[in-house]
Amino acid sequence: MSFIQRTRKLALVDCNSFYVSCERLFNPRIRIKPVVVLSNNDGCIISRSNEAKALGIKMGEPYFKAKDIIVKNKVEVFSSNYSLYGDLSRRVMRTLKRFNSEIEVYSIDEAFLDLSNFPDSEVEKIGKEIRETVLQWTGIPTSIGIAKTKTLSKIANHIAKKKISGVTSLIGIENIDPILEKIDINDVWGVGKQLTKFYQKKWNL
Ligand SMILES: [Mg+2]
């Protein structure tokens, strides 16, 4: 009996600045402005547009600490609206299911998709198609990282976020060590030290 070993190809689709992107859908006025969304009771900053990131506003930062920058730069501030985000999340996930019905919803704005059925040479193109479709059908911009494992697709996704195409595939790259060496794990997960430790355990890094 012959045994064909196929490479696993996993895509991590992650919505860009998800809560901010949701607010922007209904507020065309704020599309090119710095925007932040606050946690319950307006305590902390939990979503930032790229413009807000560029101002140095940190993820998870208490609102009062960032208030000076916010006022000075006329940053648009929103309280969180979880029923809106939940609804848009379901729409994004439903769209993803058109490409593979067995998606793994990882968080409100992230899902893993198995693309193993596609040839290596096509996954990047499929990634771009997924991104275009989600944007067209839901209005939400995403980044897509494709690789052999979940951890690597998370890293590919981190690289994709910085690219205009929004898609990065590490499939077929023989030696990814030089790529990994340039990446700071704290950056990839965009979180503080404690959380990074937690993820390092969780992802077996
Ligand atoms: Mg996201």
Side-chain angles (χ1 to χ4, degrees):
M1 201 177 85
S2 69
F3 175 72
I4 300 168
Q5 196 180 20
R6 231 182 19 196
T7 322
R8 212 163 155 233
K9 283 157 243 174
L10 282 178
L12 174 61
V13 181
D14 182 14
C15 301
N16 299 342
S17 308
F18 183 54
Y19 300 164
V20 165
S21 297
C22 293
E23 297 294 345
R24 278 180 166 167
L25 275 182
F26 298 94
N27 270 296
R29 193 178 57 79
I30 61 165
R31 277 196 193 150
I32 48 166
K33 288 190 177 171
V35 184
V36 296
V37 173
L38 305 177
S39 62
N40 289 338
N41 304 320
D42 296 344
C44 296
I45 288 152
I46 52 169
S47 185
R48 305 159 298 156
S49 69
N50 283 336
E51 297 82 357
K53 288 175 193 172
L55 291 171
I57 299 173
K58 300 275 178 297
M59 184 65 175
E61 193 171 14
Y63 178 42
F64 74 87
K65 271 195 171 174
K67 207 153 185 182
D68 278 354
I69 305 177
I70 286 172
V71 172
K72 213 166 153 193
N73 296 279
K74 299 193 174 75
V75 177
E76 299 280 340
V77 180
F78 288 82
S79 300
S80 41
N81 178 349
Y82 287 107
S83 56
L84 170 69
Y85 311 150
D87 181 53
L88 284 163
S89 170
R90 279 187 291 277
R91 280 195 230 179
V92 169
M93 301 309 171
R94 223 181 293 141
T95 308
L96 294 178
K97 284 182 185 167
R98 296 289 290 247
F99 294 89
N100 185 337
S101 56
E102 286 171 34
I103 67 167
E104 183 191 330
V105 177
Y106 188 70
S107 71
I108 191 164
D109 74 330
E110 292 170 287
F112 288 102
L113 255 95
D114 197 316
L115 301 180
S116 304
N117 284 328
F118 294 98
D120 287 13
S121 57
E122 273 183 33
V123 283
E124 188 144 356
K125 199 185 87 198
I126 300 296
K128 285 178 185 160
E129 209 179 307
I130 295 171
R131 194 176 182 272
E132 279 301 301
T133 310
V134 173
L135 189 60
Q136 255 181 41
W137 293 10
T138 70
I140 300 292
T142 55
S143 300
I144 302 183
I146 307 160
K148 283 193 279 192
T149 66
K150 285 182 179 175
T151 306
L152 288 175
S153 58
K154 179 82 183 169
I155 287 164
N157 192 289
H158 175 73
I159 300 168
K161 282 218 155 55
K162 295 177 179 164
K163 293 202 330 199
I164 293 176
S165 73
V167 180
T168 293
S169 167
L170 300 178
I171 298 293
I173 298 176
E174 292 286 321
N175 183 10
I176 57 167
D177 288 355
I179 298 170
L180 297 182
E181 268 167 25
K182 281 187 227 148
I183 290 173
D184 180 352
I185 181 93
N186 293 291
D187 257 16
V188 174
W189 277 272
V191 288
K193 264 203 180 120
Q194 277 316 108
L195 265 178
T196 302
K197 262 188 229 157
F198 166 78
Y199 279 119
Q200 277 168 337
K201 239 190 225 163
K202 187 167 167 169
W203 292 75
N204 286 321
L205 285 173

